[in-house]
Structures are given as structure tokens and as C-alpha cells.
Amino acid sequence: MKHKYPWMAALVLAATCATVQAADQAKPDFLPPWNPPPAGLQFSVPPFDAIADLHGDVVDPQLTVFFAGNQFMVVHDLVAAFRQAHPEYRRVFVETLPPGILAKQIESGALVMGNLRLALKPDIYTAGKGAVERLQNEHGWFAATADYARNPLAILVAKGNPRHIEGLKDLGRADVRVSMPNPAWEGIAKQIEAGYRKAGGEALDHAVMVTKVQDGSTFLTTIHHRQSPLRVLQGESDAAPVWSTEAYFQQQILHHPVETVAIPAGQNAVATYTAARMKAAPHPQAAKDFLAFMQSPTAQAIYRKYGFQPPK
């Protein structure tokens, strides 16, 4: 049916589009990557063409590092400092995906992200100490390892803590929407679940990880270090258990409108991160140099800047 006054319909449509556009422009831009970009032509159209967890030179790298994803915030400073200490290495490529995905990438020989296929082999792989030990027992991938940082858990909430989250037990409440790492490939999930059991027994763990998953109030992430902070920032989740450095980065470095709820030591877990030099490293000398650099005072100072604790 034709509008009696087509010009009026056009005006209404134009006004509606303008209102929607103004509303979109008024929304804060919290989208990743959150790191300073490298030099070159900048072209990124989130969420369609935006790559947050592939860093640096993908063409003929002189060093390739597969980093546990929750350390994405350290990469820019760390690589810059490594290049300064070792100017012979100019082309460095780093991935900051979940360690379980990185391990599958090593096993399969390639990563496919959208239309991009990467068949680069790592010189260095980093993950939690337990995961590295398990992979070594299963595959014997590593020639040498070194612990370089530690990290406890925390709960990330929106500024003002509108749901009044005081601890892990509150994440079992029906009115609290939780962003939770998927245990299938995120090692942090098992640490958090252990915290649930300490805070509220099997009942709390079941409530968050089964009942609330089924009713949709717990969202299982694919890549928690990106999705969980973003869901809290965009008001899609009320609380997200994360490594404390992820909350520190969002609150203290990026100054995003979030807060941190501490988890008591008796319910917490502290991860130890381990760097491993691959036996099949394509660049064996670079791998040795980077593993040594990770233990240097320079690298340790960078990790402290982002809230990480030193290794024991």
C-alpha cells in the first residue's frame, strides 16, 4: 500500500536513520584489538575485518611465538624490547590465542581464520605450567622450558558493580549473567571451577556450568580474554571470572568502566606460565635467544608493568 504522502515517509525514514546513526556514534568503542598497531596502512572494519590476536610480520618471520592468549597486552612492549636487545631479529610474528587452540594448531599444522590459512610453525610455545608438562609427556615437543610469570584469578564487573557481586558464590544467582571460559579449550575454566567448588561445593559449580548454561545466563566463550571483558563492557554479562591481569589491563591501563572483585586466597588459583622452546623450531637460535630474554630483568619488568607476578 502506497503512503498517502511519500515525502513524509521519506522524512520519517531519514530521521530514524539519523537517530540510529547518532546512537551508534554515541556508544563507546570498546572493541579490540586494544594493542598499539604496527606501522603501515591501517585498515580495519570491526567486526568484519579486524584481527586482534595475530601480531606482527606473517611473511618470512625470523621468530614465531605462540603465546597464551591472556598475555596479549604484553606483546607490543615485549617484542619491542626483544628487538632492541637483539636487533638481528626484525620480523617477529606472535599469536595470542587460547593455549588449547594453539596446541591444536601445532598438531594439525595450520590455523584457518576466516579466509586466511597460516601454516607457520612456532619457535616458542607458552601456556600454563601444567599444560606444558602434559604436552611434553604426550608429544615430547619441547627442548627446554622456563617459568616466567604467575597470575591469580579475579572477577570483572561493570563500574559501580550494579549486581553487587561480592565473590564467586554470587555467580550462581539466577539474576547474574556470567561470561565463563569454555573448559573444552580454555585451561582457566578448570581453575575457576575449582574455585566454585571451594566457594559453594559441587552445587555452585553445577549451577554456573550446567543449569545457567542451559538457561542462557552463563555464556561459554570461545576466546575468553577478548569476549569476557567485551561482554561486561557492552552490558551483555554482569560478571566474568578472569585472570587478574586481564581485569587490571581493562581498568588501570585502558581505563575502561569496569571494576575488579578480588577472590579470597582460599578460593583462588595462581597460574604459573611456562615458555617452551620447540624441538622443531624453524629458527633454533632465535628460539634460544627469546627463551633467555623471557627470563631477563627487562622482560620481567614489562610483565610487572601489566600486573603479573614474578615466578617462584
Side-chain angles (χ1 to χ4, degrees):
M1 180 179 174
K2 288 186 177 181
H3 200 286
K4 188 175 180 181
Y5 303 105
W7 57 270
M8 185 177 293
L11 283 176
V12 170
L13 179 60
T16 301
C17 290
T19 301
V20 170
Q21 186 178 14
D24 286 341
Q25 291 175 347
K27 291 179 181 177
D29 181 11
F30 295 126
L31 293 176
W34 302 326
N35 293 81
L41 173 66
Q42 300 297 319
F43 178 79
S44 181
V45 187
F48 308 104
D49 284 306
I51 299 177
D53 285 299
L54 306 183
H55 312 250
D57 293 280
V58 72
V59 177
D60 191 25
Q62 296 166 298
L63 171 71
T64 297
V65 183
F66 284 7
F67 255 117
N70 58 64
Q71 292 160 64
F72 69 90
M73 70 286 287
V74 180
V75 166
H76 179 270
D77 291 357
L78 198 69
V79 170
F82 176 69
R83 282 190 180 126
Q84 187 172 6
H86 291 276
E88 65 271 29
Y89 304 120
R90 305 314 303 165
R91 299 184 305 279
V92 178
F93 176 68
V94 176
E95 293 186 17
T96 52
L97 296 169
I101 299 298
L102 294 174
K104 290 180 180 179
Q105 180 180 350
I106 295 171
E107 287 185 87
S108 68
L111 172 75
V112 177
M113 186 177 289
N115 293 317
L116 175 68
R117 182 179 186 273
L118 292 174
L120 294 173
K121 298 182 185 302
D123 298 298
I124 298 286
Y125 172 87
T126 88
K129 187 179 182 72
V132 169
E133 291 174 347
R134 177 180 55 79
L135 289 170
Q136 181 71 341
N137 290 333
E138 291 176 0
H139 302 287
W141 283 344
F142 310 126
T145 63
D147 300 339
Y148 61 90
R150 292 182 302 131
N151 206 359
L153 295 167
I155 303 172
L156 186 71
V157 299
K159 189 172 184 178
N161 195 1
R163 291 292 184 188
H164 306 291
I165 307 296
E166 296 182 357
L168 290 172
K169 203 164 186 178
D170 287 326
L171 274 56
R173 288 167 24 200
D175 65 324
V176 175
R177 297 167 300 166
V178 180
S179 184
M180 179 70 197
N182 194 320
W185 46 70
E186 301 258 40
I188 181 177
K190 295 175 183 176
Q191 312 264 22
I192 298 168
E193 284 196 81
Y196 290 149
R197 290 189 288 271
K198 291 174 184 177
E202 295 292 340
L204 177 60
D205 187 38
H206 189 274
V208 177
M209 297 302 294
V210 179
T211 305
K212 289 167 66 77
V213 169
Q214 291 172 349
D215 68 25
S217 58
T218 289
F219 177 86
L220 295 181
T221 66
T222 304
I223 182 163
H224 90 95
H225 65 273
R226 299 294 183 183
Q227 288 175 290
S228 286
L230 194 59
R231 287 183 64 84
V232 172
L233 287 164
Q234 293 181 332
E236 296 171 338
S237 294
D238 302 305
V242 295
W243 293 117
S244 65
T245 51
E246 296 171 281
Y248 180 87
F249 179 70
Q250 294 292 331
Q251 185 177 0
Q252 304 295 334
I253 305 294
L254 297 183
H255 304 293
H256 282 164
V258 292
E259 293 183 9
T260 303
V261 176
I263 298 174
Q267 300 170 12
N268 213 321
V270 179
T272 295
Y273 298 125
T274 301
R277 176 166 59 87
M278 303 293 295
K279 287 181 180 176
H283 312 98
Q285 187 58 51
K288 291 178 182 178
D289 290 340
F290 190 78
L291 188 64
F293 174 77
M294 288 290 287
Q295 302 166 75
S296 70
T298 300
Q300 290 296 304
I302 292 170
Y303 271 89
R304 286 197 301 274
K305 171 184 173 182
Y306 289 97
F308 290 85
Q309 299 176 4
K312 283 188 175 179

